[in-house]
Amino acid sequence: KGKVAEAVYDGKGNTLIGAKLDDGTTIDADILLFACGPWTKLYDCMLGVKYHSAIIPTRPRVLNQSVFFHGCGDPEVYPRSDGTAYCTGFPDPAIRVTEQPGEEEVREEAIDQIVNAVREASGGGSGDGDVGGVLGNEPELKQSCYLPTTVDNLPMIGELPDQKRCFVAAGHGCWGILLGPATGEAMASLMVNGKSDTVDLRAFRPERFGNMKIF
């Protein structure tokens, strides 16, 4: 556990032998893959968009349709099989993330905004099981997270041009779950065979940010 400070090479600088952590220890490695979401700090071009969310119980009903509301602030509702709904919306502006993983602040006013929006959009109500009150209950869980994104809104995927045997795969924004399997397959092929056999990665090459500065 720790932050990777740098890649470690042999005496000739040709062969990757490990990753040096910020506490000075070194982990043996012959390939490094940086896939740390908004905490992937390469080229100063990785940002995070903070989203708050609330898990609202719908029991005894189990909803079966995700809804992207148009109006009431455009909240989003994702039903779950356990009789709850994941409700989100109202993202913060993109920033360079300074909060640590697992320590993201949850702002009550942001949660209230989401809860009030989904109640209004679903007919308000008291959560008594009627259609009008299906999202009227108090949240079981309040949380926040960051969606990783880049300054040009395209993922950063490929080998780092200035560090041999070091790769990156991050910045997929809200499409991470959808694009994750294809990214994993492409990266496995790139790292083992030297090229991606399934996805043309040229548009996502990290060196496109080589001379960019955003701050």
Side-chain angles (χ1 to χ4, degrees):
K1 183 178 179 180
K3 297 180 181 179
V4 175
E6 61 180 339
V8 180
Y9 293 88
D10 64 4
K12 296 181 180 180
N14 296 323
T15 303
L16 179 71
I17 59 174
K20 185 177 181 180
L21 304 184
D22 56 354
D23 64 1
T25 61
T26 298
I27 299 175
D28 294 340
D30 56 8
I31 294 178
L32 291 182
L33 171 61
F34 296 90
C36 304
W39 294 278
T40 306
K41 296 182 179 180
L42 297 172
Y43 298 105
D44 279 341
C45 290
M46 190 63 65
L47 305 174
V49 177
K50 191 172 191 176
Y51 272 83
H52 284 75
S53 59
I55 306 301
I56 298 178
T58 61
R59 306 179 189 94
R61 298 187 61 186
V62 177
L63 306 182
N64 58 15
Q65 182 66 57
S66 296
V67 182
F68 300 82
F69 288 100
H70 181 66
C72 304
D74 301 343
E76 302 174 6
V77 177
Y78 303 86
R80 294 177 168 181
S81 60
D82 63 352
T84 63
Y86 176 95
C87 304
T88 189
F90 308 101
D92 290 357
I95 61 170
R96 182 181 293 172
V97 178
T98 57
E99 293 182 291
Q100 295 302 306
E103 300 178 2
E104 298 89 343
E105 179 191 12
V106 177
R107 304 194 310 274
E108 284 296 328
E109 66 272 16
I111 296 295
D112 290 343
Q113 189 176 26
I114 294 168
V115 170
N116 292 334
V118 297
R119 283 178 179 170
E120 180 184 359
S122 64
S126 60
D128 57 5
D130 295 334
V131 173
V134 70
L135 294 174
N137 290 312
E138 290 299 314
E140 291 184 346
L141 180 65
K142 305 172 183 179
Q143 55 195 0
S144 67
C145 64
Y146 286 94
L147 295 182
T149 186
T150 63
V151 293
D152 64 1
N153 295 312
L154 288 176
M156 188 188 302
I157 308 173
E159 186 170 10
L160 301 181
D162 54 347
Q163 291 185 277
K164 298 177 182 178
R165 304 297 287 163
C166 291
F167 301 81
V168 61
H172 293 68
C174 64
W175 304 110
I177 295 176
L178 176 67
L179 301 178
T183 300
E185 184 175 13
M187 290 305 302
S189 177
L190 179 62
M191 290 188 292
V192 174
N193 302 320
K195 65 176 182 178
S196 169
D197 297 323
T198 56
V199 180
D200 185 349
L201 297 176
R202 287 177 292 181
F204 313 117
R205 64 193 189 282
E207 59 264 34
R208 73 186 192 273
F209 292 130
N211 296 317
M212 290 188 68
K213 292 185 178 179
I214 58 175
F215 294 104

